[in-house]
Amino acid sequence: MQQAGPIGIFDSGYGGLTVLREIVQQLPDYDYLYLGDNARAPYGTRSFEMVYQYTLECVNWLFSQGCSLIILACNTASAKALRSIQQRDLVPGTDKRVLGVIRPTAEVIGNYSQTTKVGILGTPGTIASESYPIEIKKFFPDVQVFQEACPMWVPLIENNEQDSPGADLFVERHISNLLHRSPGIDTILLGCTHYPLLMDKIRAHTPADVRIIAQGEIVASSLADYLRRHPVQEMLCSRGGQRRFFTTDSAGEFDRQAGAFFGQPVQSTHITL
Ligand code: DGL
C-alpha cells in the first residue's frame, strides 16, 4: 500500500480554486495539491480527444506527486475525460482514484427545485456531452433539464474581464436565452467552476425568485461523505493542513489572479508536463 499523500485538485485553470476554497473550509486538516493547466485553458471548446489527453497528463502528474485521490474540479474534464480515465487508465486493484464534479452535483440538484425545472449553464464541451441531463435523470427522473452553453464566459474570466461591461453583455445574453427556452425553471446550476466569479452579474440578470447554485459546497460535502464511506482511501490522504499550488503557465500571473477564486493569496510554482 502506498504512503499517505495530498488530495489532488485539478482544473484547466483557476476555476477549480472555487471548489478547493469550499473543500478546505469543510475539510481543513487534509493536505491539498492544486494543479491548473492554465497554459492550455480553456478546455471548454476543445475536442474530446484533447480534453482527455490533457486531463490524463495532469492526473498522471498529480499521481507522480504522491496523490492517491484526485478530484477533477472541472466540469469539462469531468464530462469529457473522467469516464475514459476511470475505465482505461486506472489500474484495477490499486489505491488510485479519480472523481469528478458532475455526479455529486446531479445527485442533489433536484432537491433545490420546486417546479422540477432546472437550468444548467456550462462550457460548450460540458453542454454538448449531455452529462448533466443524463446524470440528473438517474437521480431525479421527473426533473426537466434545460441547458445553455456560454462559450465566452471562461475566456472572459481567465482574462480578468469578469467585472467589465463586456461581461454584462455575454451574461445577459445567455441568461435570457435560457429563461426564454424554459419558463418555469426556479433553479440555475453554474455547471462550470469558473462561473462563481460572475455571480454578481448572473444574479443581476436573473429574476430574484430563481435560485442560483454554485458547486463548491456540494462537491465539498460529497468529498467529506466519500472519505467517511471509504476509510482505506481516507487513510491515504495526509493530514498536515498544507496547500500547494502548481500551474503549467506563469506562476506570477497565477498568483495575481488566483486570489479572486480562492479567496486568499496564493503562491504557486510553475511546472512543465
Ligand atoms: N472550470 C472549467 C469547467 O468547470 C472550465 C473549463 C474550461 O477550461 O473551459 O468546466
Side-chain angles (χ1 to χ4, degrees):
M1 195 156 121
Q2 77 173 78
Q3 273 198 324
I7 297 174
I9 309 285
F10 165 72
D11 183 49
S12 60
Y14 302 107
L17 292 166
T18 65
V19 174
L20 180 58
R21 179 181 184 157
E22 298 295 337
I23 291 177
V24 297
Q25 189 85 11
Q26 287 194 34
L27 300 165
D29 296 342
Y30 295 101
D31 297 324
Y32 297 96
L33 202 160
Y34 184 90
L35 174 59
D37 191 9
N38 299 77
R40 301 186 291 194
Y43 280 13
T45 44
R46 293 193 189 276
S47 66
F48 175 91
E49 288 73 21
M50 293 322 291
V51 173
Y52 165 62
Q53 186 188 311
Y54 290 171
T55 305
L56 181 60
E57 283 170 20
C58 292
V59 161
N60 283 337
W61 183 82
L62 287 164
F63 282 143
S64 77
Q65 300 304 301
C67 301
S68 60
L69 177 61
I70 295 171
I71 312 294
L72 303 185
C74 174
N75 288 270
T76 310
S78 300
K80 294 178 104 170
L82 178 63
R83 177 159 308 179
S84 301
I85 291 175
Q86 286 174 334
Q87 291 179 350
R88 289 190 223 166
D89 303 297
L90 294 182
V91 183
T94 67
D95 297 315
K96 295 191 184 343
R97 297 286 180 276
V98 182
L99 307 175
V101 289
I102 293 181
R103 193 181 170 99
T105 308
E107 274 176 9
V108 297
I109 194 67
N111 296 331
Y112 292 92
S113 176
Q114 305 293 312
T115 60
T116 64
K117 290 185 174 56
V118 171
I120 311 285
L121 300 168
T123 67
T126 299
I127 299 303
S129 76
E130 293 279 324
S131 300
Y132 273 108
I134 292 167
E135 289 297 320
I136 292 171
K137 262 272 117 43
K138 291 180 192 162
F139 300 101
F140 301 97
D142 298 337
V143 166
Q144 262 184 291
V145 178
F146 299 87
Q147 303 198 94
E148 172 76 7
C150 312
M152 289 300 290
W153 290 15
V154 170
L156 280 166
I157 296 164
E158 288 276 319
N159 288 293
N160 204 15
E161 291 285 338
Q162 63 269 16
D163 297 322
S164 71
D168 271 299
L169 181 83
F170 288 104
V171 169
E172 198 276 328
R173 175 183 297 174
H174 292 296
I175 298 285
S176 97
N177 284 351
L178 180 67
L179 294 173
H180 272 105
R181 258 187 295 116
S182 49
I185 61 172
D186 63 352
T187 304
I188 292 180
L189 168 71
L190 306 186
C192 170
T193 55
H194 280 67
Y195 294 176
L197 270 275
L198 286 169
M199 187 58 112
D200 290 348
K201 290 202 187 304
I202 296 169
R203 188 68 274 172
H205 292 288
T206 304
D209 56 350
V210 175
R211 204 164 180 168
I212 300 167
I213 311 285
Q215 288 174 297
E217 267 183 65
I218 295 173
V219 174
S221 303
S222 165
L223 175 60
D225 183 50
Y226 176 89
L227 292 171
R228 269 192 300 275
R229 287 184 295 107
H230 296 84
V232 175
Q233 203 64 41
E234 195 277 336
M235 272 165 53
L236 290 171
C237 300
S238 53
R239 289 168 170 258
Q242 260 194 0
R243 293 95 179 80
R244 286 182 297 146
F245 300 86
F246 295 85
T247 174
T248 54
D249 207 335
S250 143
E253 183 59 18
F254 189 92
D255 298 353
R256 268 188 294 283
Q257 303 266 14
F261 294 79
F262 191 53
Q264 49 183 287
V266 160
Q267 264 209 325
S268 66
T269 304
H270 167 78
I271 58 148
T272 309
L273 290 169

